[in-house]
Amino acid sequence: MQSKKTEGIIFNIQRYSLHDGPGLRTVIFFKGCQLRCKWCSNPESHEFKRELYVSTLQCIGCGQCIKVCPQKALSKVDGCIVIDRALCKSCDLCTELCPSGAIQFYGKAQTAYEVFKTVLRDATFYRNSNGGVTLSGGEPTLQPDFAYEILSMCKEEGINTAIETCGFTRWENLEKLLPLLDYVYYDVKHVISAKHVAGTGSDCSIILANLKKLISVKHDVVIRIPVIPSFNDDKHSIDAIIDWIDTNLSGISVEIMAYHRYGEGKYELLGREYQMKNVNNLSTEVMENIVSTFKSKSIDCRLLSEN
């Protein structure tokens, strides 16, 4: 057991979740991810550092943040606060002074024990619902020591544990956590490298290699596939994923998730462009047909609803 004092950076702790493993769960969202999926609903998870954001809906235009910033990183353009992120030093002066709470940070440094204290508040709910704790992100395996300490404390208290991972990590990072995990939810976005690079900025070879290793040592693994329009919703892509699973894995469960635009507003807060803004959601009929295609190949598959 380590010291429980390892510090990491998270951007949210979501309590009472129903879609991140069995039962009622607390989800810990780790900051930092090496993929840049165009459809990512958590753009605030990308960087490993804290990131300033401004809500134009909450801003009252007082300009106090501009006056107090020692780096001159804030200005007003067309009545809106604009952040020069190259100058910002995350000193917190603007967030402390803002009277409306319009300017805040995504990301907070905490020790593993501080996170665990939040987790422990709902221990009764976990036991009554067969729930527990899920590490998500971002990519939790990129903070392996921090994740290990949180999971160790959970196991000491008999709390069920799970992780949601994109698999784009060193195998050693994931392997270290496996003895402490009851469930692994593993993203497979594509199995054709060129398509994967186009949609995420990175090749999928590491992801698929890690998945094969994972399946060889752990049985409680569920593959999750986000179905994204113009990326992997076409017949060729779906067939390629099915063929890869059929060839390389056996007895695996698959959950497919429909593309959504829930995170679109966060891009504006962070001063980034949402690249999928003209893409429409897929119909339930399309998603059910994809489920049927998996099942026709004797692969256990279900549609994961977020409702």
Side-chain angles (χ1 to χ4, degrees), residues 166-196:
C166 73
F168 195 73
T169 185
R170 294 174 61 241
W171 167 248
E172 292 78 10
N173 289 355
L174 180 57
E175 184 181 34
K176 175 177 183 170
L177 304 180
L178 293 182
L180 300 172
L181 289 166
D182 294 301
Y183 299 97
V184 177
Y185 296 93
Y186 198 102
D187 273 12
V188 172
K189 300 172 178 68
H190 219 299
V191 296
I192 299 173
S193 289
K195 292 284 288 185
H196 201 276

Side-chain angles (χ1 to χ4, degrees), residues 99-110:
S100 65
I103 189 163
Q104 298 291 335
F105 277 101
Y106 283 126
K108 181 179 182 181
Q110 288 192 294

Side-chain angles (χ1 to χ4, degrees), residues 85-101:
R85 297 180 185 279
L87 295 178
C88 178
K89 300 298 182 183
S90 301
C91 68
D92 277 326
L93 290 177
C94 58
T95 63
E96 292 171 359
L97 193 65
C98 180
S100 65

